[in-house]
Structure formats: C-alpha cells, structure tokens
Amino acid sequence: TIHFQNLEELAGESLPRKIIQLIERTFDIGEVLVFKVMHQDKMLGDFTLIMDSGKRSAKKAIAEIFCSQLGLVIERLRTNEALKQTQLQLENSEEQFRVLVEELHQGIALHKIICDKDGQAINYRFISVNKAYETLTGLKAEQVIGKTVLDILPRTEKEWIERFGRVALTGKSDKFDNYSEALGKYFK
C-alpha cells in the first residue's frame, strides 16, 4: 500500500499546484491510498482509495482484502477469456479438419470396435463416413451411422473385423489389398 497525505503528494509535478488545490477543495479530497491489485505475485493493476478531507483510513485492512479478491476476479476473467479464445480456435480447427476429411477422394470411415470378453474384435459400429466412402462402397451415411457392420452386412468376412480391430486396438497402421464378398468389390 502506498500512502499519500493528499492529492498533491500523489500527483507530484504532473499537475499545477493551483489545479490540485482546486480539485481538493471542490471534491473535499484528503488522504489518498493506492493499493496494488495482485494475484500470485503478479501485478495486475492498482486500486486508489480517496478519503474525504479530515477522515482517516481506519479500514485499510478491508481495502487490502478487497484488492486481493479483486486480483483473483481479474485473473479469473482473463483466464475465462483465454479459455474462450482457445475454444474458438479448437472449433475452427475441428471445422477445417472436418471439411478436409469430407473433401478427400479417399473413403474414410470412423468405427467403434466392439470386443468380446477376451478383448478380441468381433464387430464394429459406424460412427462417421465421408462422401468418398459412400461412393466407393455404395453405403450411405444414413444407412450405416450408429449400426454395426454385421447389422448392415451380415456376411462380412471375419478378416475385415479382425484387421480393423487390430489397427484400432494397437494403433499400428495396416496396408492391404482385399476383396469384400459382402460388397462384391476389391479394396486397397
């Protein structure tokens, strides 16, 4: 806390003395206290308490507590604003990624692998597909989203389920050429 006996002491030479005296008389200004507004040892600003002429600052401790809480509020507001900016950036990035995936010429399908009690892939559920996937397979998004491959194509070879399960469960990519009897097409 910085303590000034009057406005003239606070203003120093930045204002002419006559103007300072005029302000002090007009607004009945006496003692001036300036408190640092801090949060975690970081200066966020200051809070100035101007007392009426002839009054003393008996509540200095309350003002210090107030400034401490004000620092917390300011930091929370800054954090919330930063969080909003990060959220907007994430939404923009997700939208750009969605557009990129949607416009690719390669078919993309997002699956949720379904495992048995031993952790082996036994089926998979369609979460999302792009337009190219629809074109290449003949399966439309509205037909497959939310359904399992065995609901849609009951004759799907076990090899397809195991291969997709292995990629999903191990994180290791796989490259292959294979015929799908259920779709009657070769896929690479």
Side-chain angles (χ1 to χ4, degrees), residues 37-45 67-83:
V37 178
M38 308 281 291
H39 181 69
Q40 296 179 344
D41 297 327
K42 180 178 167 190
M43 174 79 161
L44 302 177
C67 287
S68 170
Q69 293 303 306
L70 183 60
L72 183 63
V73 169
I74 290 170
E75 192 60 29
R76 188 168 290 151
L77 289 172
R78 287 180 178 171
T79 300
N80 287 344
E81 185 59 33
L83 186 59

PDB file of all heavy atoms in Angstrom, residues 37-45 67-83:
ATOM      1  N   VAL A  37      -3.106  -4.272  -6.905  1.00  0.00           N
ATOM      2  CA  VAL A  37      -4.002  -5.402  -7.152  1.00  0.00           C
ATOM      3  C   VAL A  37      -3.116  -6.514  -7.700  1.00  0.00           C
ATOM      4  O   VAL A  37      -2.547  -6.391  -8.780  1.00  0.00           O
ATOM      5  CB  VAL A  37      -5.130  -5.031  -8.146  1.00  0.00           C
ATOM      6  CG1 VAL A  37      -6.019  -6.232  -8.413  1.00  0.00           C
ATOM      7  CG2 VAL A  37      -5.942  -3.854  -7.618  1.00  0.00           C
ATOM      8  N   MET A  38      -2.985  -7.582  -6.898  1.00  0.00           N
ATOM      9  CA  MET A  38      -2.044  -8.661  -7.201  1.00  0.00           C
ATOM     10  C   MET A  38      -2.785  -9.996  -7.287  1.00  0.00           C
ATOM     11  O   MET A  38      -3.843 -10.169  -6.702  1.00  0.00           O
ATOM     12  CB  MET A  38      -0.988  -8.774  -6.092  1.00  0.00           C
ATOM     13  CG  MET A  38      -0.269  -7.496  -5.731  1.00  0.00           C
ATOM     14  SD  MET A  38       1.022  -7.077  -6.873  1.00  0.00           S
ATOM     15  CE  MET A  38       2.212  -8.345  -6.561  1.00  0.00           C
ATOM     16  N   HIS A  39      -2.155 -10.919  -8.000  1.00  0.00           N
ATOM     17  CA  HIS A  39      -2.585 -12.314  -7.987  1.00  0.00           C
ATOM     18  C   HIS A  39      -1.345 -13.162  -8.211  1.00  0.00           C
ATOM     19  O   HIS A  39      -0.659 -13.015  -9.225  1.00  0.00           O
ATOM     20  CB  HIS A  39      -3.629 -12.597  -9.068  1.00  0.00           C
ATOM     21  CG  HIS A  39      -4.100 -14.017  -9.065  1.00  0.00           C
ATOM     22  ND1 HIS A  39      -4.875 -14.536  -8.058  1.00  0.00           N
ATOM     23  CD2 HIS A  39      -3.881 -15.026  -9.931  1.00  0.00           C
ATOM     24  CE1 HIS A  39      -5.120 -15.800  -8.305  1.00  0.00           C
ATOM     25  NE2 HIS A  39      -4.530 -16.124  -9.441  1.00  0.00           N
ATOM     26  N   GLN A  40      -1.053 -14.025  -7.266  1.00  0.00           N
ATOM     27  CA  GLN A  40       0.116 -14.910  -7.315  1.00  0.00           C
ATOM     28  C   GLN A  40       1.386 -14.124  -7.666  1.00  0.00           C
ATOM     29  O   GLN A  40       2.092 -14.425  -8.618  1.00  0.00           O
ATOM     30  CB  GLN A  40      -0.111 -16.049  -8.297  1.00  0.00           C
ATOM     31  CG  GLN A  40      -1.238 -16.969  -7.891  1.00  0.00           C
ATOM     32  CD  GLN A  40      -1.469 -18.090  -8.883  1.00  0.00           C
ATOM     33  OE1 GLN A  40      -1.004 -18.052 -10.011  1.00  0.00           O
ATOM     34  NE2 GLN A  40      -2.216 -19.091  -8.448  1.00  0.00           N
ATOM     35  N   ASP A  41       1.652 -13.097  -6.897  1.00  0.00           N
ATOM     36  CA  ASP A  41       2.841 -12.254  -7.039  1.00  0.00           C
ATOM     37  C   ASP A  41       2.938 -11.547  -8.393  1.00  0.00           C
ATOM     38  O   ASP A  41       4.010 -11.138  -8.816  1.00  0.00           O
ATOM     39  CB  ASP A  41       4.127 -13.065  -6.789  1.00  0.00           C
ATOM     40  CG  ASP A  41       4.191 -13.591  -5.360  1.00  0.00           C
ATOM     41  OD1 ASP A  41       3.690 -12.899  -4.461  1.00  0.00           O
ATOM     42  OD2 ASP A  41       4.741 -14.686  -5.172  1.00  0.00           O
ATOM     43  N   LYS A  42       1.824 -11.395  -9.058  1.00  0.00           N
ATOM     44  CA  LYS A  42       1.799 -10.732 -10.359  1.00  0.00           C
ATOM     45  C   LYS A  42       0.949  -9.468 -10.229  1.00  0.00           C
ATOM     46  O   LYS A  42      -0.201  -9.528  -9.813  1.00  0.00           O
ATOM     47  CB  LYS A  42       1.185 -11.678 -11.395  1.00  0.00           C
ATOM     48  CG  LYS A  42       1.095 -11.125 -12.781  1.00  0.00           C
ATOM     49  CD  LYS A  42       0.498 -12.203 -13.695  1.00  0.00           C
ATOM     50  CE  LYS A  42       0.083 -11.626 -15.016  1.00  0.00           C
ATOM     51  NZ  LYS A  42      -0.692 -12.598 -15.787  1.00  0.00           N
ATOM     52  N   MET A  43       1.548  -8.331 -10.576  1.00  0.00           N
ATOM     53  CA  MET A  43       0.858  -7.048 -10.502  1.00  0.00           C
ATOM     54  C   MET A  43      -0.155  -6.948 -11.634  1.00  0.00           C
ATOM     55  O   MET A  43       0.198  -7.050 -12.805  1.00  0.00           O
ATOM     56  CB  MET A  43       1.883  -5.908 -10.597  1.00  0.00           C
ATOM     57  CG  MET A  43       1.271  -4.548 -10.667  1.00  0.00           C
ATOM     58  SD  MET A  43       0.766  -4.003  -9.050  1.00  0.00           S
ATOM     59  CE  MET A  43       0.647  -2.258  -9.335  1.00  0.00           C
ATOM     60  N   LEU A  44      -1.440  -6.775 -11.287  1.00  0.00           N
ATOM     61  CA  LEU A  44      -2.487  -6.677 -12.288  1.00  0.00           C
ATOM     62  C   LEU A  44      -2.951  -5.235 -12.495  1.00  0.00           C
ATOM     63  O   LEU A  44      -3.570  -4.920 -13.501  1.00  0.00           O
ATOM     64  CB  LEU A  44      -3.688  -7.531 -11.885  1.00  0.00           C
ATOM     65  CG  LEU A  44      -3.411  -9.015 -11.680  1.00  0.00           C
ATOM     66  CD1 LEU A  44      -4.658  -9.735 -11.203  1.00  0.00           C
ATOM     67  CD2 LEU A  44      -2.889  -9.650 -12.953  1.00  0.00           C
ATOM     68  N   GLY A  45      -2.689  -4.395 -11.525  1.00  0.00           N
ATOM     69  CA  GLY A  45      -3.125  -3.003 -11.601  1.00  0.00           C
ATOM     70  C   GLY A  45      -3.096  -2.396 -10.219  1.00  0.00           C
ATOM     71  O   GLY A  45      -2.435  -2.906  -9.310  1.00  0.00           O
ATOM     72  N   CYS A  67      -8.678  -5.689  -2.459  1.00  0.00           N
ATOM     73  CA  CYS A  67      -7.736  -5.690  -3.592  1.00  0.00           C
ATOM     74  C   CYS A  67      -7.242  -7.097  -3.900  1.00  0.00           C
ATOM     75  O   CYS A  67      -7.070  -7.463  -5.063  1.00  0.00           O
ATOM     76  CB  CYS A  67      -6.573  -4.748  -3.326  1.00  0.00           C
ATOM     77  SG  CYS A  67      -7.074  -3.030  -3.442  1.00  0.00           S
ATOM     78  N   SER A  68      -7.039  -7.883  -2.859  1.00  0.00           N
ATOM     79  CA  SER A  68      -6.619  -9.262  -3.053  1.00  0.00           C
ATOM     80  C   SER A  68      -7.703 -10.046  -3.805  1.00  0.00           C
ATOM     81  O   SER A  68      -7.416 -10.777  -4.754  1.00  0.00           O
ATOM     82  CB  SER A  68      -6.340  -9.912  -1.696  1.00  0.00           C
ATOM     83  OG  SER A  68      -6.154 -11.285  -1.843  1.00  0.00           O
ATOM     84  N   GLN A  69      -8.954  -9.856  -3.392  1.00  0.00           N
ATOM     85  CA  GLN A  69     -10.067 -10.543  -4.044  1.00  0.00           C
ATOM     86  C   GLN A  69     -10.275 -10.007  -5.473  1.00  0.00           C
ATOM     87  O   GLN A  69     -10.588 -10.761  -6.385  1.00  0.00           O
ATOM     88  CB  GLN A  69     -11.356 -10.393  -3.229  1.00  0.00           C
ATOM     89  CG  GLN A  69     -11.309 -11.114  -1.897  1.00  0.00           C
ATOM     90  CD  GLN A  69     -11.017 -12.595  -2.078  1.00  0.00           C
ATOM     91  OE1 GLN A  69     -11.700 -13.280  -2.828  1.00  0.00           O
ATOM     92  NE2 GLN A  69      -9.993 -13.087  -1.403  1.00  0.00           N
ATOM     93  N   LEU A  70     -10.089  -8.710  -5.639  1.00  0.00           N
ATOM     94  CA  LEU A  70     -10.204  -8.101  -6.956  1.00  0.00           C
ATOM     95  C   LEU A  70      -9.164  -8.700  -7.904  1.00  0.00           C
ATOM     96  O   LEU A  70      -9.458  -8.986  -9.065  1.00  0.00           O
ATOM     97  CB  LEU A  70     -10.028  -6.582  -6.858  1.00  0.00           C
ATOM     98  CG  LEU A  70     -10.181  -5.789  -8.139  1.00  0.00           C
ATOM     99  CD1 LEU A  70     -11.573  -5.983  -8.741  1.00  0.00           C
ATOM    100  CD2 LEU A  70      -9.911  -4.312  -7.872  1.00  0.00           C
ATOM    101  N   GLY A  71      -7.964  -8.928  -7.415  1.00  0.00           N
ATOM    102  CA  GLY A  71      -6.921  -9.566  -8.213  1.00  0.00           C
ATOM    103  C   GLY A  71      -7.340 -10.950  -8.666  1.00  0.00           C
ATOM    104  O   GLY A  71      -7.129 -11.336  -9.819  1.00  0.00           O
ATOM    105  N   LEU A  72      -7.967 -11.697  -7.763  1.00  0.00           N
ATOM    106  CA  LEU A  72      -8.450 -13.042  -8.091  1.00  0.00           C
ATOM    107  C   LEU A  72      -9.527 -12.966  -9.171  1.00  0.00           C
ATOM    108  O   LEU A  72      -9.514 -13.737 -10.132  1.00  0.00           O
ATOM    109  CB  LEU A  72      -8.998 -13.710  -6.833  1.00  0.00           C
ATOM    110  CG  LEU A  72      -9.493 -15.134  -6.955  1.00  0.00           C
ATOM    111  CD1 LEU A  72      -8.359 -16.067  -7.351  1.00  0.00           C
ATOM    112  CD2 LEU A  72     -10.109 -15.580  -5.648  1.00  0.00           C
ATOM    113  N   VAL A  73     -10.454 -12.024  -9.037  1.00  0.00           N
ATOM    114  CA  VAL A  73     -11.532 -11.866 -10.021  1.00  0.00           C
ATOM    115  C   VAL A  73     -10.962 -11.484 -11.382  1.00  0.00           C
ATOM    116  O   VAL A  73     -11.349 -12.046 -12.410  1.00  0.00           O
ATOM    117  CB  VAL A  73     -12.564 -10.811  -9.540  1.00  0.00           C
ATOM    118  CG1 VAL A  73     -13.526 -10.430 -10.649  1.00  0.00           C
ATOM    119  CG2 VAL A  73     -13.318 -11.325  -8.323  1.00  0.00           C
ATOM    120  N   ILE A  74     -10.037 -10.534 -11.409  1.00  0.00           N
ATOM    121  CA  ILE A  74      -9.429 -10.110 -12.676  1.00  0.00           C
ATOM    122  C   ILE A  74      -8.725 -11.283 -13.343  1.00  0.00           C
ATOM    123  O   ILE A  74      -8.867 -11.507 -14.543  1.00  0.00           O
ATOM    124  CB  ILE A  74      -8.457  -8.929 -12.451  1.00  0.00           C
ATOM    125  CG1 ILE A  74      -9.240  -7.668 -12.078  1.00  0.00           C
ATOM    126  CG2 ILE A  74      -7.591  -8.692 -13.685  1.00  0.00           C
ATOM    127  CD1 ILE A  74      -8.358  -6.528 -11.598  1.00  0.00           C
ATOM    128  N   GLU A  75      -7.964 -12.039 -12.575  1.00  0.00           N
ATOM    129  CA  GLU A  75      -7.241 -13.180 -13.142  1.00  0.00           C
ATOM    130  C   GLU A  75      -8.222 -14.232 -13.660  1.00  0.00           C
ATOM    131  O   GLU A  75      -8.005 -14.822 -14.720  1.00  0.00           O
ATOM    132  CB  GLU A  75      -6.303 -13.789 -12.093  1.00  0.00           C
ATOM    133  CG  GLU A  75      -5.316 -14.765 -12.659  1.00  0.00           C
ATOM    134  CD  GLU A  75      -4.392 -14.170 -13.715  1.00  0.00           C
ATOM    135  OE1 GLU A  75      -4.098 -12.952 -13.684  1.00  0.00           O
ATOM    136  OE2 GLU A  75      -3.967 -14.934 -14.599  1.00  0.00           O
ATOM    137  N   ARG A  76      -9.318 -14.448 -12.943  1.00  0.00           N
ATOM    138  CA  ARG A  76     -10.330 -15.411 -13.388  1.00  0.00           C
ATOM    139  C   ARG A  76     -10.959 -14.945 -14.703  1.00  0.00           C
ATOM    140  O   ARG A  76     -11.181 -15.741 -15.612  1.00  0.00           O
ATOM    141  CB  ARG A  76     -11.398 -15.591 -12.315  1.00  0.00           C
ATOM    142  CG  ARG A  76     -12.362 -16.717 -12.636  1.00  0.00           C
ATOM    143  CD  ARG A  76     -13.239 -17.087 -11.481  1.00  0.00           C
ATOM    144  NE  ARG A  76     -12.440 -17.731 -10.461  1.00  0.00           N
ATOM    145  CZ  ARG A  76     -12.714 -17.692  -9.174  1.00  0.00           C
ATOM    146  NH1 ARG A  76     -13.759 -17.055  -8.732  1.00  0.00           N
ATOM    147  NH2 ARG A  76     -11.944 -18.312  -8.295  1.00  0.00           N
ATOM    148  N   LEU A  77     -11.241 -13.650 -14.814  1.00  0.00           N
ATOM    149  CA  LEU A  77     -11.810 -13.108 -16.052  1.00  0.00           C
ATOM    150  C   LEU A  77     -10.830 -13.280 -17.212  1.00  0.00           C
ATOM    151  O   LEU A  77     -11.223 -13.657 -18.317  1.00  0.00           O
ATOM    152  CB  LEU A  77     -12.173 -11.632 -15.874  1.00  0.00           C
ATOM    153  CG  LEU A  77     -13.369 -11.347 -14.969  1.00  0.00           C
ATOM    154  CD1 LEU A  77     -13.498  -9.848 -14.722  1.00  0.00           C
ATOM    155  CD2 LEU A  77     -14.651 -11.902 -15.561  1.00  0.00           C
ATOM    156  N   ARG A  78      -9.557 -13.010 -16.958  1.00  0.00           N
ATOM    157  CA  ARG A  78      -8.541 -13.192 -18.000  1.00  0.00           C
ATOM    158  C   ARG A  78      -8.443 -14.650 -18.414  1.00  0.00           C
ATOM    159  O   ARG A  78      -8.328 -14.974 -19.594  1.00  0.00           O
ATOM    160  CB  ARG A  78      -7.181 -12.703 -17.519  1.00  0.00           C
ATOM    161  CG  ARG A  78      -7.071 -11.205 -17.449  1.00  0.00           C
ATOM    162  CD  ARG A  78      -5.697 -10.791 -16.977  1.00  0.00           C
ATOM    163  NE  ARG A  78      -5.572  -9.346 -16.961  1.00  0.00           N
ATOM    164  CZ  ARG A  78      -4.544  -8.707 -16.438  1.00  0.00           C
ATOM    165  NH1 ARG A  78      -3.542  -9.376 -15.902  1.00  0.00           N
ATOM    166  NH2 ARG A  78      -4.500  -7.398 -16.454  1.00  0.00           N
ATOM    167  N   THR A  79      -8.489 -15.544 -17.435  1.00  0.00           N
ATOM    168  CA  THR A  79      -8.423 -16.975 -17.718  1.00  0.00           C
ATOM    169  C   THR A  79      -9.633 -17.407 -18.528  1.00  0.00           C
ATOM    170  O   THR A  79      -9.496 -18.161 -19.496  1.00  0.00           O
ATOM    171  CB  THR A  79      -8.338 -17.783 -16.407  1.00  0.00           C
ATOM    172  OG1 THR A  79      -7.166 -17.380 -15.695  1.00  0.00           O
ATOM    173  CG2 THR A  79      -8.291 -19.274 -16.668  1.00  0.00           C
ATOM    174  N   ASN A  80     -10.824 -16.929 -18.154  1.00  0.00           N
ATOM    175  CA  ASN A  80     -12.037 -17.270 -18.895  1.00  0.00           C
ATOM    176  C   ASN A  80     -11.966 -16.767 -20.333  1.00  0.00           C
ATOM    177  O   ASN A  80     -12.381 -17.460 -21.260  1.00  0.00           O
ATOM    178  CB  ASN A  80     -13.281 -16.710 -18.201  1.00  0.00           C
ATOM    179  CG  ASN A  80     -13.627 -17.468 -16.941  1.00  0.00           C
ATOM    180  OD1 ASN A  80     -13.142 -18.574 -16.719  1.00  0.00           O
ATOM    181  ND2 ASN A  80     -14.450 -16.887 -16.106  1.00  0.00           N
ATOM    182  N   GLU A  81     -11.437 -15.563 -20.514  1.00  0.00           N
ATOM    183  CA  GLU A  81     -11.303 -15.009 -21.859  1.00  0.00           C
ATOM    184  C   GLU A  81     -10.311 -15.836 -22.684  1.00  0.00           C
ATOM    185  O   GLU A  81     -10.557 -16.137 -23.854  1.00  0.00           O
ATOM    186  CB  GLU A  81     -10.856 -13.542 -21.804  1.00  0.00           C
ATOM    187  CG  GLU A  81     -10.815 -12.864 -23.139  1.00  0.00           C
ATOM    188  CD  GLU A  81     -12.147 -12.856 -23.875  1.00  0.00           C
ATOM    189  OE1 GLU A  81     -13.212 -12.787 -23.234  1.00  0.00           O
ATOM    190  OE2 GLU A  81     -12.120 -12.937 -25.114  1.00  0.00           O
ATOM    191  N   ALA A  82      -9.211 -16.236 -22.068  1.00  0.00           N
ATOM    192  CA  ALA A  82      -8.226 -17.072 -22.764  1.00  0.00           C
ATOM    193  C   ALA A  82      -8.840 -18.421 -23.127  1.00  0.00           C
ATOM    194  O   ALA A  82      -8.598 -18.956 -24.214  1.00  0.00           O
ATOM    195  CB  ALA A  82      -6.979 -17.259 -21.905  1.00  0.00           C
ATOM    196  N   LEU A  83      -9.649 -18.967 -22.215  1.00  0.00           N
ATOM    197  CA  LEU A  83     -10.319 -20.239 -22.467  1.00  0.00           C
ATOM    198  C   LEU A  83     -11.295 -20.108 -23.635  1.00  0.00           C
ATOM    199  O   LEU A  83     -11.365 -20.995 -24.493  1.00  0.00           O
ATOM    200  CB  LEU A  83     -11.047 -20.704 -21.205  1.00  0.00           C
ATOM    201  CG  LEU A  83     -11.694 -22.066 -21.234  1.00  0.00           C
ATOM    202  CD1 LEU A  83     -10.671 -23.157 -21.524  1.00  0.00           C
ATOM    203  CD2 LEU A  83     -12.392 -22.345 -19.912  1.00  0.00           C
TER     204      LEU A  83
END
